[in-house]
């Protein structure tokens, strides 16, 4: 994966494709590049979505504790971002947060 950040919508599209292809850690790398290059005001958005992908990676590897911690952190970051009222580029964060919280404790 390139370390160069894609524009926000392309980042989300690429991350979705990678997750659909069973490559959530690669999706995390795409998202991480975006949060490192993006504005500070969007950091919680990009880090939160990236943490969901790492949580999925931990879950796939059978690491319940790691998955739970990252799903929880992701839900908190995304909830914090939602409270700002800023655009999430069409991503329904309430659904992402709900799914993250529903995965805690379930492999």
């Amino acid at each position: 994966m390139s370390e160069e950040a894609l524009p926000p919508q392309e980042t989300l599209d690429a991350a979705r494709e990678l997750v659909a292809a069973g490559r959530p850690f690669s999706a995390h790398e795409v998202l991480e590049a975006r949060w490192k290059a993006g504005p500070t005001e969007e950091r919680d958005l990009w880090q939160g979505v990236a943490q969901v992908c790492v949580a999925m990676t931990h879950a796939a590897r059978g690491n319940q504790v790691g998955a739970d911690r990252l799903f929880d952190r992701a839900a908190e970051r995304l909830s914090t971002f939602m409270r700002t009222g800023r655009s999430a580029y069409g991503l329904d964060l309430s659904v992402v947060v709900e799914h993250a919280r529903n995965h805690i404790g379930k492999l």
Side-chain angles (χ1 to χ4, degrees):
M1 301 274 54
S2 171
E3 291 186 23
E4 189 168 324
L6 298 170
Q9 194 59 57
E10 288 180 42
T11 298
L12 289 175
D13 293 343
R16 282 184 184 114
E17 288 176 18
L18 288 163
V19 167
R23 299 177 58 202
F25 193 79
S26 294
H28 155 266
E29 291 174 338
V30 169
L31 293 159
E32 182 178 54
R34 179 76 244 147
W35 76 253
K36 287 182 177 181
T40 303
E41 299 84 23
E42 294 182 356
R43 186 173 186 173
D44 283 332
L45 169 65
W46 299 113
Q47 281 186 331
V49 178
Q51 286 174 324
V52 167
C53 293
V54 176
M56 292 170 67
T57 301
H58 282 295
R61 294 177 180 166
N63 179 356
Q64 181 77 56
V65 172
D68 287 353
R69 285 181 182 156
L70 282 162
F71 278 130
D72 185 54
R73 287 182 198 157
E76 289 304 314
R77 275 195 192 281
L78 294 173
S79 293
T80 297
F81 183 80
M82 284 182 356
R83 288 191 292 274
T84 70
R86 295 180 61 89
S87 169
Y89 303 97
L91 190 60
D92 188 341
L93 294 182
S94 61
V95 171
V96 177
V97 168
E98 180 183 346
H99 283 281
R101 290 204 165 118
N102 286 338
H103 278 86
I104 294 172
K106 301 174 186 171
L107 276 182

